Amino acid sequence: MPAADGRSRVVVHSKLTVVSSRPVVPGKAHTLTALDHAMGLHSLHVVFYYKEQLFGSIDLDPLRVSLSETLSLYPQVTGRVDKNPDGNWEVKCNDAGVRVLMARVGTTLDEWLTSGDGSEERLLTMWDDMPDDHSIWSPYRIQINEFEGGGVAIGLSCTHMHADPTCATLLIKSWAETHRREAISHPLFVDESSALGGRPVDQVINKKSSAAYYEAKSVASKTTSLPVKKMGTATFKFSNSTIKRELNSCPGATPFDLLAAMFWTQIARLKPSESKTKHSFSVCIDFRKKKSFGYYGNALHFSLLSVPEVEQLEREDGLAHVVGVVHRHVLSQKEEDFWSGMDWFEAQKGEGDKFGEPFKLYGPELTCVSMEHMLDDCQPLMYGVMFEKEKKPVHVSYHVGNMEGEGLIMVMPAPEGGLARTVMVTLPEEELARLCEAEAISSLNPTMLLSGRQAI
């Protein structure tokens, strides 16, 4: 919530541009894929919170030096977007640099995490959509926020055309490791020929359900206007012991399966009775392989899971049955389904090989994003983003801009690792308030953050 006098608690006091430490080779360009183009209506926002005061005090010089060194490895980050002769977006890799903002937050970090909300948190990653003159627009913004009493939040914003949550996380992780003078453990690469394992160019388009789903979403986005709703966001943290206990009755299921099923059923109960003839649920998973984990760009796959009256299903057969439904759906999504979707995006090219128009992939149905792949030996990668040794983030948030429809659920690892999970839920405000009071969720004793209310 804002300050008592209504003013924002986040005040940006300086702006600058940080360029790479080595000049970019002239004429280099980074090609955006068909999936990257499809993400063009969305933006991505990530915030890393640190309890301790980093660097002794917020001195931009050491940060700027290490950021410049990191950017020299990734010219596609410092460049500017432009249209190629086909009319498709590409990144002109140049030395234009990344916008960096410095801000002060008029409260302590602890107070912020308990009293703030999702809309206020977005002020830690201030963002400007692409203007008509895109030659001067930075696709990336970094904001360093200093809290009273020493806490720090580092926010990254970018267009979703450039990066998905994994890519954005690894970019900041690379910066942190460069700052500590350590080798980059998960470097990003932009070799499109080997990206995600590659696909034979002579392979025919596979008319599987994933392609049909994207086709339906594309058509709906052009023909259906959704009512504008004021959305709110709340964050729930579930302990390792809680998730382990709940999974005992769900053999083979993952924490994502459990939490996706639980929040899906509870949110379904909040819907008006006339909308309960069928419940659709969009599942988003990352399809990076181990050998291509550092792929720069988008590697997300969306699929549709539909059942008649999911909350009725829970009442009759128990939550474990719904968990099983989600689990089987996730397991059913194979690499070929991902490539079927990629084939469909490629097939939307029009005259002159121009990609199809972007549409909102997050929505209109309730969308749930799995970040199970972000665990390395049960340790969450986002909590390994340490600018100083052993000073891990105490919390990491992810937001998707321009999301529409019924809402968004993001299930990600929690700081303690193992089976512990953090769930960020974005819903219409009236539904979110009721969800936060749902007994099925509160009985698991989650820690609540950034919901504008006190912890359960």
Side-chain angles (χ1 to χ4, degrees), residues 208-210 285 287 301 303 327-341:
K208 296 188 72 171
S209 59
S210 54
I285 56 179
F287 256 88
H301 173 64
S303 59
H327 178 65
R328 288 187 293 274
H329 176 81
V330 173
L331 284 182
S332 73
Q333 301 304 302
K334 306 299 184 182
E335 185 177 349
E336 185 54 39
D337 295 278
F338 171 80
W339 287 115
S340 172

mmCIF file of all heavy atoms in Angstrom, residues 208-210 285 287 301 303 327-341:
data_model
loop_
_atom_site.group_PDB
_atom_site.id
_atom_site.type_symbol
_atom_site.label_atom_id
_atom_site.label_comp_id
_atom_site.label_asym_id
_atom_site.label_seq_id
_atom_site.Cartn_x
_atom_site.Cartn_y
_atom_site.Cartn_z
ATOM 1 N N LYS A 208 -1.022 -31.382 -34.123
ATOM 2 C CA LYS A 208 -1.379 -31.908 -32.812
ATOM 3 C C LYS A 208 -2.187 -30.864 -32.053
ATOM 4 O O LYS A 208 -2.412 -29.744 -32.515
ATOM 5 C CB LYS A 208 -0.122 -32.312 -32.044
ATOM 6 C CG LYS A 208 0.639 -33.469 -32.717
ATOM 7 C CD LYS A 208 1.747 -33.985 -31.856
ATOM 8 C CE LYS A 208 1.213 -34.754 -30.680
ATOM 9 N NZ LYS A 208 2.275 -35.461 -29.934
ATOM 10 N N SER A 209 -2.596 -31.240 -30.839
ATOM 11 C CA SER A 209 -3.478 -30.366 -30.070
ATOM 12 C C SER A 209 -2.838 -29.033 -29.749
ATOM 13 O O SER A 209 -3.533 -28.022 -29.620
ATOM 14 C CB SER A 209 -3.894 -31.068 -28.778
ATOM 15 O OG SER A 209 -2.766 -31.401 -27.995
ATOM 16 N N SER A 210 -1.508 -28.977 -29.593
ATOM 17 C CA SER A 210 -0.863 -27.708 -29.252
ATOM 18 C C SER A 210 -1.047 -26.688 -30.359
ATOM 19 O O SER A 210 -1.325 -25.509 -30.108
ATOM 20 C CB SER A 210 0.625 -27.931 -28.966
ATOM 21 O OG SER A 210 1.238 -28.603 -30.039
ATOM 22 N N ILE A 285 4.855 -24.582 -19.434
ATOM 23 C CA ILE A 285 6.082 -25.227 -18.973
ATOM 24 C C ILE A 285 7.241 -24.829 -19.885
ATOM 25 O O ILE A 285 7.045 -24.465 -21.043
ATOM 26 C CB ILE A 285 5.957 -26.763 -18.914
ATOM 27 C CG1 ILE A 285 5.552 -27.331 -20.272
ATOM 28 C CG2 ILE A 285 4.950 -27.175 -17.859
ATOM 29 C CD1 ILE A 285 5.427 -28.839 -20.276
ATOM 30 N N PHE A 287 10.588 -25.722 -21.997
ATOM 31 C CA PHE A 287 11.068 -26.896 -22.711
ATOM 32 C C PHE A 287 12.570 -26.868 -22.980
ATOM 33 O O PHE A 287 13.057 -27.545 -23.895
ATOM 34 C CB PHE A 287 10.303 -27.085 -24.026
ATOM 35 C CG PHE A 287 9.292 -28.177 -23.951
ATOM 36 C CD1 PHE A 287 8.001 -27.922 -23.510
ATOM 37 C CD2 PHE A 287 9.624 -29.479 -24.280
ATOM 38 C CE1 PHE A 287 7.058 -28.933 -23.421
ATOM 39 C CE2 PHE A 287 8.696 -30.500 -24.193
ATOM 40 C CZ PHE A 287 7.418 -30.237 -23.756
ATOM 41 N N HIS A 301 5.977 -23.400 -23.494
ATOM 42 C CA HIS A 301 4.929 -24.141 -24.195
ATOM 43 C C HIS A 301 3.645 -24.061 -23.377
ATOM 44 O O HIS A 301 3.626 -24.382 -22.187
ATOM 45 C CB HIS A 301 5.342 -25.600 -24.371
ATOM 46 C CG HIS A 301 4.266 -26.469 -24.935
ATOM 47 N ND1 HIS A 301 3.754 -26.297 -26.202
ATOM 48 C CD2 HIS A 301 3.586 -27.518 -24.392
ATOM 49 C CE1 HIS A 301 2.820 -27.199 -26.431
ATOM 50 N NE2 HIS A 301 2.689 -27.961 -25.355
ATOM 51 N N SER A 303 -0.377 -25.259 -22.965
ATOM 52 C CA SER A 303 -1.307 -26.326 -23.340
ATOM 53 C C SER A 303 -2.586 -26.175 -22.516
ATOM 54 O O SER A 303 -2.572 -25.569 -21.441
ATOM 55 C CB SER A 303 -0.689 -27.704 -23.106
ATOM 56 O OG SER A 303 -0.332 -27.874 -21.746
ATOM 57 N N HIS A 327 -1.111 -33.884 -13.087
ATOM 58 C CA HIS A 327 0.148 -34.609 -13.258
ATOM 59 C C HIS A 327 0.188 -35.338 -14.598
ATOM 60 O O HIS A 327 1.190 -35.261 -15.333
ATOM 61 C CB HIS A 327 0.311 -35.615 -12.113
ATOM 62 C CG HIS A 327 1.550 -36.447 -12.197
ATOM 63 N ND1 HIS A 327 2.815 -35.918 -12.097
ATOM 64 C CD2 HIS A 327 1.720 -37.789 -12.388
ATOM 65 C CE1 HIS A 327 3.714 -36.893 -12.209
ATOM 66 N NE2 HIS A 327 3.070 -38.029 -12.395
ATOM 67 N N ARG A 328 -0.887 -36.019 -14.938
ATOM 68 C CA ARG A 328 -0.920 -36.760 -16.199
ATOM 69 C C ARG A 328 -0.882 -35.821 -17.395
ATOM 70 O O ARG A 328 -0.272 -36.142 -18.431
ATOM 71 C CB ARG A 328 -2.164 -37.663 -16.251
ATOM 72 C CG ARG A 328 -2.076 -38.866 -15.304
ATOM 73 C CD ARG A 328 -3.235 -39.825 -15.518
ATOM 74 N NE ARG A 328 -4.512 -39.238 -15.126
ATOM 75 C CZ ARG A 328 -4.995 -39.251 -13.890
ATOM 76 N NH1 ARG A 328 -4.297 -39.797 -12.905
ATOM 77 N NH2 ARG A 328 -6.182 -38.718 -13.624
ATOM 78 N N HIS A 329 -1.518 -34.659 -17.255
ATOM 79 C CA HIS A 329 -1.486 -33.697 -18.361
ATOM 80 C C HIS A 329 -0.066 -33.190 -18.588
ATOM 81 O O HIS A 329 0.389 -33.111 -19.740
ATOM 82 C CB HIS A 329 -2.422 -32.518 -18.067
ATOM 83 C CG HIS A 329 -2.365 -31.449 -19.114
ATOM 84 N ND1 HIS A 329 -3.047 -31.538 -20.305
ATOM 85 C CD2 HIS A 329 -1.680 -30.275 -19.150
ATOM 86 C CE1 HIS A 329 -2.791 -30.468 -21.039
ATOM 87 N NE2 HIS A 329 -1.964 -29.682 -20.362
ATOM 88 N N VAL A 330 0.627 -32.821 -17.515
ATOM 89 C CA VAL A 330 1.998 -32.321 -17.654
ATOM 90 C C VAL A 330 2.890 -33.392 -18.274
ATOM 91 O O VAL A 330 3.681 -33.116 -19.186
ATOM 92 C CB VAL A 330 2.555 -31.867 -16.287
ATOM 93 C CG1 VAL A 330 4.037 -31.509 -16.398
ATOM 94 C CG2 VAL A 330 1.762 -30.667 -15.760
ATOM 95 N N LEU A 331 2.760 -34.633 -17.800
ATOM 96 C CA LEU A 331 3.567 -35.720 -18.352
ATOM 97 C C LEU A 331 3.260 -35.979 -19.826
ATOM 98 O O LEU A 331 4.132 -36.433 -20.574
ATOM 99 C CB LEU A 331 3.333 -37.007 -17.556
ATOM 100 C CG LEU A 331 4.000 -37.108 -16.181
ATOM 101 C CD1 LEU A 331 3.696 -38.467 -15.559
ATOM 102 C CD2 LEU A 331 5.507 -36.903 -16.271
ATOM 103 N N SER A 332 2.047 -35.679 -20.237
ATOM 104 C CA SER A 332 1.651 -35.949 -21.625
ATOM 105 C C SER A 332 2.262 -34.957 -22.606
ATOM 106 O O SER A 332 2.251 -35.188 -23.821
ATOM 107 C CB SER A 332 0.125 -35.909 -21.758
ATOM 108 O OG SER A 332 -0.369 -34.572 -21.685
ATOM 109 N N GLN A 333 2.791 -33.835 -22.098
ATOM 110 C CA GLN A 333 3.359 -32.817 -22.978
ATOM 111 C C GLN A 333 4.795 -33.201 -23.332
ATOM 112 O O GLN A 333 5.708 -33.042 -22.529
ATOM 113 C CB GLN A 333 3.297 -31.439 -22.312
ATOM 114 C CG GLN A 333 1.905 -30.978 -21.949
ATOM 115 C CD GLN A 333 0.976 -30.965 -23.142
ATOM 116 O OE1 GLN A 333 1.242 -30.294 -24.149
ATOM 117 N NE2 GLN A 333 -0.123 -31.702 -23.059
ATOM 118 N N LYS A 334 4.973 -33.692 -24.532
ATOM 119 C CA LYS A 334 6.271 -34.158 -24.996
ATOM 120 C C LYS A 334 6.939 -33.097 -25.864
ATOM 121 O O LYS A 334 6.335 -32.087 -26.239
ATOM 122 C CB LYS A 334 6.122 -35.456 -25.781
ATOM 123 C CG LYS A 334 5.379 -36.555 -25.040
ATOM 124 C CD LYS A 334 6.094 -36.956 -23.749
ATOM 125 C CE LYS A 334 5.385 -38.122 -23.075
ATOM 126 N NZ LYS A 334 6.028 -38.490 -21.791
ATOM 127 N N GLU A 335 8.188 -33.374 -26.206
ATOM 128 C CA GLU A 335 8.926 -32.423 -27.039
ATOM 129 C C GLU A 335 8.214 -32.187 -28.368
ATOM 130 O O GLU A 335 8.215 -31.065 -28.890
ATOM 131 C CB GLU A 335 10.336 -32.943 -27.284
ATOM 132 C CG GLU A 335 11.205 -31.951 -28.043
ATOM 133 C CD GLU A 335 12.632 -32.425 -28.225
ATOM 134 O OE1 GLU A 335 13.009 -33.427 -27.588
ATOM 135 O OE2 GLU A 335 13.355 -31.787 -29.013
ATOM 136 N N GLU A 336 7.591 -33.214 -28.899
ATOM 137 C CA GLU A 336 6.899 -33.051 -30.171
ATOM 138 C C GLU A 336 5.737 -32.065 -30.065
ATOM 139 O O GLU A 336 5.408 -31.359 -31.037
ATOM 140 C CB GLU A 336 6.388 -34.412 -30.673
ATOM 141 C CG GLU A 336 5.763 -34.362 -32.059
ATOM 142 C CD GLU A 336 6.688 -33.747 -33.094
ATOM 143 O OE1 GLU A 336 7.914 -34.008 -33.048
ATOM 144 O OE2 GLU A 336 6.192 -33.001 -33.947
ATOM 145 N N ASP A 337 5.100 -31.998 -28.893
ATOM 146 C CA ASP A 337 4.033 -31.011 -28.704
ATOM 147 C C ASP A 337 4.590 -29.596 -28.770
ATOM 148 O O ASP A 337 3.976 -28.690 -29.337
ATOM 149 C CB ASP A 337 3.343 -31.241 -27.356
ATOM 150 C CG ASP A 337 2.613 -32.568 -27.306
ATOM 151 O OD1 ASP A 337 1.478 -32.633 -27.799
ATOM 152 O OD2 ASP A 337 3.202 -33.535 -26.782
ATOM 153 N N PHE A 338 5.757 -29.415 -28.149
ATOM 154 C CA PHE A 338 6.406 -28.100 -28.208
ATOM 155 C C PHE A 338 6.706 -27.728 -29.658
ATOM 156 O O PHE A 338 6.399 -26.622 -30.111
ATOM 157 C CB PHE A 338 7.689 -28.120 -27.378
ATOM 158 C CG PHE A 338 8.538 -26.883 -27.556
ATOM 159 C CD1 PHE A 338 8.235 -25.711 -26.875
ATOM 160 C CD2 PHE A 338 9.624 -26.889 -28.411
ATOM 161 C CE1 PHE A 338 9.004 -24.576 -27.054
ATOM 162 C CE2 PHE A 338 10.398 -25.759 -28.588
ATOM 163 C CZ PHE A 338 10.086 -24.591 -27.903
ATOM 164 N N TRP A 339 7.301 -28.664 -30.408
ATOM 165 C CA TRP A 339 7.660 -28.357 -31.785
ATOM 166 C C TRP A 339 6.432 -28.206 -32.672
ATOM 167 O O TRP A 339 6.463 -27.457 -33.659
ATOM 168 C CB TRP A 339 8.592 -29.427 -32.330
ATOM 169 C CG TRP A 339 9.970 -29.328 -31.749
ATOM 170 C CD1 TRP A 339 10.600 -30.217 -30.950
ATOM 171 C CD2 TRP A 339 10.866 -28.221 -31.913
ATOM 172 N NE1 TRP A 339 11.835 -29.745 -30.591
ATOM 173 C CE2 TRP A 339 12.025 -28.522 -31.167
ATOM 174 C CE3 TRP A 339 10.810 -27.011 -32.595
ATOM 175 C CZ2 TRP A 339 13.120 -27.657 -31.100
ATOM 176 C CZ3 TRP A 339 11.894 -26.150 -32.531
ATOM 177 C CH2 TRP A 339 13.032 -26.486 -31.795
ATOM 178 N N SER A 340 5.362 -28.875 -32.334
ATOM 179 C CA SER A 340 4.114 -28.669 -33.065
ATOM 180 C C SER A 340 3.657 -27.219 -32.953
ATOM 181 O O SER A 340 3.223 -26.605 -33.930
ATOM 182 C CB SER A 340 3.031 -29.612 -32.528
ATOM 183 O OG SER A 340 1.774 -29.317 -33.093
ATOM 184 N N GLY A 341 3.765 -26.682 -31.722
ATOM 185 C CA GLY A 341 3.433 -25.278 -31.537
ATOM 186 C C GLY A 341 4.374 -24.361 -32.303
ATOM 187 O O GLY A 341 3.941 -23.384 -32.935
#
